[in-house]
Amino acid sequence: MLNFKMFASAAAALALSAAPAMAQCAKTKTDAAAQAAGFQTIGYHAASTTAKPARAASGDIIDVAVGAGSFKTLAAALTAAGLVDTLKTAGPFTVFAPTDAAFAKLPAGTVENLLKPENRAQLISILTYHVVPGKITSNQLLDKVTPATTVQGRKATIDGRNGRVTVNGVAVTAADVGASNGVIHVIDTVLMPPAAKHH
């Protein structure tokens, strides 16, 4: 299983090949928090300069995520929810992908309960809240707040101010990981859709 640092290096080579500082940052042995801060800062800098946009990988969003090795829980959840085939279609999609470490931050037993057949509707709701129709790259998000309607139907708030990108306050730790049918932005916390308002 590839660790986060190896995935970060792949993301840097794939999406930010014009930014040597990114590759150097990815090679630095730091703790996860320092890595996250580095990616946020450098990702913003690259998108605001002349760095090349993300290049499409050789596979779709599912292939890229599985190949990275850091999204086994996400892959299992997508399979249990019956969403794998959807994310293999032409799209395009923007996926805010929680890592295995992000799922591990949930209360004990949460993932296991969500994977049960009787909780499939809740699992689908959570997973589709991480997907936005269309391809949205980091350079489209800089210096502003962008409300985005997710596939789940509820809105998420993407904030590209202050030299980083967050989604509902959750940090994007690696941006613009290209896929043939969209783009992946790696996040360090699982997003939870807001409760429906009752009138």
Side-chain angles (χ1 to χ4, degrees):
M1 173 177 174
L2 299 178
N3 57 27
F4 179 79
K5 187 188 74 171
M6 293 177 67
F7 175 73
S9 298
L14 183 67
L16 300 172
S17 57
M22 181 75 173
Q24 182 60 40
C25 175
K27 294 178 183 178
T28 302
K29 293 183 178 180
T30 59
D31 56 48
Q35 282 189 336
F39 278 114
Q40 290 159 11
T41 301
I42 294 172
Y44 179 94
H45 172 75
S48 61
T49 60
T50 57
K52 295 179 181 179
R55 293 182 291 111
S58 57
D60 56 44
I61 284 171
I62 296 297
D63 295 334
V64 172
V66 170
S70 298
F71 302 98
K72 289 186 175 181
T73 306
L74 177 61
L78 289 168
T79 299
L83 295 174
V84 170
D85 289 343
T86 299
L87 290 177
K88 280 183 164 292
T89 61
F93 305 102
T94 296
V95 176
F96 294 95
T99 60
D100 292 334
F103 279 100
K105 290 162 62 174
L106 293 172
T110 299
V111 173
E112 291 78 7
N113 283 332
L114 287 172
L115 293 178
K116 293 178 179 178
E118 60 266 31
N119 296 324
R120 185 169 180 264
Q122 183 183 5
L123 179 62
I124 291 173
S125 177
I126 292 171
L127 293 175
T128 53
Y129 189 65
H130 291 75
V131 183
V132 177
K135 182 177 180 179
I136 305 172
T137 56
S138 60
N139 64 336
Q140 297 172 265
L141 303 171
L142 300 180
D143 300 321
K144 61 184 177 181
V145 175
T146 304
T149 300
T150 67
V151 170
Q152 188 262 359
R154 307 292 290 176
K155 289 186 180 296
T157 301
I158 306 172
D159 192 339
R161 300 172 298 177
N162 303 316
R164 63 178 193 156
V165 176
T166 63
V167 186
N168 291 359
V170 171
V172 172
T173 57
D176 298 337
V177 182
S180 61
N181 61 342
V183 64
I184 298 170
H185 302 299
V186 183
I187 55 176
D188 63 2
T189 302
V190 177
L191 302 172
M192 290 296 174
K197 295 181 180 179
H198 297 285
H199 299 284

